[in-house]
Amino acid sequence: MSRPLALDDARVAVLILRLAGPAILGISAHALQMVVNAWFVADLGATAIATIAIAYPVTLLVAALGYGVGIAAASQVSRALGAGDGTLAGAAAALGFWLALPAGSAVTVAILLDTPAWLRLLRADEALAAAAAPYTALATVGTGLMLVMIVGGFVVRAQGHARLSGAIMVGGFGLNIVLDAVLIRLCGLGTLGAGWAIVGAQVAAALAYLWVFARGRGALRLVSPRRGGPGLLGEALRLAVPVTGSSLLAAFAMALFVEAAAPYGEAAVAAQGIALRLTLVAALPLLGLVAGAQVVFGHAAGAGLPHRLRRALGFTVAASLAYGLAAGGLMIALAAPLVGLFAQEAETVRAGIEAVSVFALAFLPIGLQLTAAALFQAIGAPRRAAAVSLAAQGLALIPPLLILPPLLGYEGVLVSRVVAEYLADGLGLVLLLAWAAGARRAAGAARIEGREALLMPAPHEAAHQSP
């Protein structure tokens, strides 16, 4: 395994990019897999596209557990390794799997017991619920298996070895692309083939992480969580619950969004699916960048280097805004050919172009909310981090989504997305400016409120990845 990067590198921008590189590569592999999957499914018609779109909020319920527990495990592992306590690190890592896998299995079983009922909660009609149920069931099983990759990735990155996590992500999602081609196109299994492709790829990724930990790769070995002491579980839950809640809120908001589009027909649902997928693809590399920056933020704050923290923050804000403007502008300019990759029916194409253009407009300043959340997580200000994350993950979307569609119809569904994103970005900007003003008043020190601070990660070499 490669040696971890030196977090005291004076080249702050270079360090952020080097930390972000493996995460961006792995996340981009996921993005590519999603695009290729949508391209294969496009030939199957609007019902197939709607199937993929309406299944996503259901599978997100399972994935949310992994992200919350993964962040908690990474926090505990990194601090334990920093203190030289390999036993505690191994116990924390094992606890992450013990928390995520049984809970994920329980949610998966609940969805499998009556998959059409979950889809009807999204206002899918009987025909769409019946058509989407087989794929949704398989995708849910695949997401349950993905919990191993999510938690394993956080634990491995907490040791400073982001390249290993990136390699497994690239391998897993690359295999998914191959399986999509074989099962959807060559075998003619349609959306059922897409579901089996997810399952097969995640089985391979899970086996890769089992090999990593069985061979003792890295700085820790998994041991019984009991060896971590009585406070380990309580601390893990305090760290995991807010993140999991934010992810579940995202699933709920996504469900509301799909539900709001459902009365306008399959073309509208399919258009939302195309726009959501393209927007997510555009955002994934940015998430990798912010993951790298968060490590530098935490190291600079913990080392008492306010000038370095401000330099890292300034670079991240500038880079993320530049990326948002470039990616969003390209999506608007190329909306027609992009939608044409995933849809053939004229009605779906028209609705897709409109949805992609609106979503791209909402995407332009997204770097503000992502950078703000990363900063406040890194310096130990969880209330402000939670405020930005909860706003971005759904609280800002729910009010306009309840108010605008009854007034404006389908246009109100689209406008709700813009309103929500700009509210979250505005909140992120206000909190960043308030923090900067407070830091200046404190003679440049990074202000950490005592009553707000939780047991956050000490300066370490993890490259945390946001969902």
Side-chain angles (χ1 to χ4, degrees):
M1 299 177 73
S2 58
R3 296 181 62 184
L5 296 171
L7 296 181
D8 57 356
D9 191 329
R11 302 166 299 171
V12 172
V14 173
L15 177 60
I16 290 175
L17 293 176
R18 291 183 67 190
L19 284 166
I24 292 174
L25 185 61
I27 297 171
S28 296
H30 190 191
L32 178 62
Q33 180 269 321
M34 294 177 68
V35 171
V36 172
N37 173 262
W39 181 65
F40 285 136
V41 171
D43 290 341
L44 306 176
T47 299
I49 300 173
T51 290
I52 304 298
I54 206 166
Y56 182 69
V58 178
T59 60
L60 192 58
L61 292 172
V62 181
L65 298 169
Y67 291 120
V69 172
I71 287 175
S75 171
Q76 294 179 311
V77 167
S78 61
R79 285 182 284 113
L81 290 178
D85 192 339
T87 300
L88 179 59
L95 179 62
F97 289 107
W98 275 108
L99 289 175
L101 297 183
S105 298
V107 175
T108 298
V109 170
I111 293 171
L112 294 179
L113 288 175
D114 193 352
T115 306
W118 290 85
L119 297 171
R120 286 193 293 271
L121 290 176
L122 302 177
R123 295 182 65 181
D125 57 31
E126 291 296 331
L128 181 56
Y135 167 81
T136 304
L138 287 170
T140 301
V141 172
T143 306
L145 292 167
M146 192 185 294
L147 292 177
V148 177
M149 183 170 70
I150 294 172
V151 177
F154 276 109
V155 169
V156 168
R157 288 191 296 271
Q159 302 173 65
H161 297 289
R163 291 182 182 178
L164 177 60
S165 172
I168 294 178
M169 289 180 70
V170 170
F173 292 121
L175 177 60
N176 202 326
I177 292 174
V178 173
L179 292 176
D180 274 337
V182 172
L183 298 177
I184 298 175
R185 286 289 176 85
L186 296 182
C187 297
L189 296 180
T191 56
L192 199 63
W196 280 115
I198 295 173
V199 172
Q202 292 309 316
V203 166
L207 290 174
Y209 272 114
L210 288 176
W211 177 82
V212 167
F213 290 111
R215 294 291 299 272
R217 309 281 288 182
L220 61 81
R221 291 181 181 271
L222 299 182
V223 299
S224 170
R226 294 181 180 178
R227 297 181 64 181
L232 189 66
L233 175 60
E235 182 191 19
L237 293 176
R238 287 193 298 273
L239 291 167
V241 168
V243 179
T244 300
S246 178
S247 298
L248 291 175
L249 179 61
F252 176 69
M254 189 73 68
L256 283 181
F257 201 75
V258 174
E259 180 183 355
Y264 301 97
E266 286 185 354
V269 175
Q272 300 302 310
I274 293 170
L276 285 169
R277 180 159 293 203
L278 285 173
T279 304
L280 181 59
V281 167
L284 290 177
L286 184 55
L287 294 175
L289 172 67
V290 174
Q294 185 172 344
V295 180
V296 180
F297 293 160
H299 185 270
L305 300 173
H307 297 293
R308 182 177 178 82
L309 177 56
R310 286 196 294 270
R311 286 172 55 201
L313 179 61
F315 170 77
T316 306
V317 169
S320 60
L321 285 177
Y323 176 84
L325 291 172
L330 286 174
M331 288 174 64
I332 293 172
L334 302 175
L338 286 173
V339 173
L341 293 173
F342 310 122
Q344 281 73 47
E345 293 90 343
E347 185 180 0
T348 303
V349 170
R350 285 194 298 271
I353 292 172
E354 182 182 20
V356 168
S357 299
V358 172
F359 278 39
L361 181 64
F363 183 80
L364 299 178
I366 196 172
L368 290 173
Q369 57 180 268
L370 294 177
T371 303
L375 172 69
F376 296 130
Q377 288 167 356
I379 67 173
R383 288 188 302 186
R384 282 172 285 177
V388 178
S389 297
L390 290 173
Q393 296 290 356
L395 286 183
L397 176 62
I398 294 172
L401 199 55
L402 295 175
I403 295 171
L404 296 180
L407 298 176
L408 303 176
Y410 179 62
E411 300 297 328
V413 177
L414 298 177
V415 172
S416 297
R417 183 78 180 190
V418 179
V419 172
E421 292 295 343
Y422 277 74
L423 284 174
D425 294 322
L427 176 62
L429 177 60
V430 168
L431 291 178
L432 283 175
L433 292 175
W435 173 83
R440 285 195 296 270
R441 287 195 298 270
R447 188 162 54 105
I448 301 178
E449 299 178 14
R451 293 187 352 184
E452 183 178 351
L454 293 176
L455 291 173
M456 301 299 289
H460 59 83
E461 299 157 81
H464 294 331
Q465 177 183 318
S466 299

